[in-house]
Amino acid sequence: MTSKIDSIIEDFELLDNWDDRYRYLIELGRTLPPFPEERRTEQSKVQGCASQVWLVSEARPDNDGPHLVFLGDSDAHIVRGLVAILLALYSGRPAHDIAATDPTSVFERIGLKEHLTPQRSNGLRSMVERIRAEARRVLADAVH
């Protein structure tokens, strides 16, 4: 079975020009589940993003350790698409996998890396670090 992130990568590889890829990125953002208004707090806001980005997680116990499920949203269409890609990559996975997964190769395969403004690249790094830090926190809590 192809994972959601593999399917997204394959879809990007089918698109030849960047206008189509940006439209697809925006479309991915539209597929995000609604983000609860009460979760739009300073605590859930990702620092380091020019746009407003909110990320929350829930740890769920599993046989191979806690898994994290993420919800996210942004007030910017392209950034919402980036959130959708990150959630496809990370959400529902074991915390130890999340902490160890660097998304660089995914963004290189999609070709996004060279098409993001420096500001969006910084925001993307901030989102990734937030997700991975959450995984490390859950792992540390599981040890105690």
Side-chain angles (χ1 to χ4, degrees), residues 32-129:
L32 286 174
F35 193 84
E37 278 304 314
E38 66 274 8
R39 304 296 300 267
R40 293 179 196 272
T41 64
E42 281 305 309
Q43 186 178 357
S44 67
K45 196 182 274 190
V46 177
Q47 302 304 313
C49 294
S51 309
Q52 293 192 85
V53 177
W54 299 272
L55 279 173
V56 295
S57 66
E58 178 185 328
R60 296 182 179 163
D62 204 308
N63 293 339
D64 60 348
H67 286 223
L68 285 171
V69 176
F70 291 93
L71 273 180
D73 198 13
S74 175
D75 62 350
H77 294 298
I78 289 176
V79 178
R80 276 190 102 216
L82 295 174
V83 170
I85 290 171
L86 290 175
L87 296 189
L89 178 62
Y90 289 115
S91 191
R93 294 186 53 205
H96 55 82
D97 284 358
I98 293 169
T101 300
D102 180 359
T104 304
S105 66
V106 169
F107 284 98
E108 285 173 354
R109 281 189 63 196
I110 290 173
L112 271 178
K113 202 172 174 191
E114 61 272 9
H115 289 278
L116 292 179
T117 63
Q119 213 171 20
R120 282 204 180 108
S121 292
N122 287 338
L124 181 61
R125 272 192 297 280
S126 295
M127 288 186 277
V128 168
E129 184 47 42

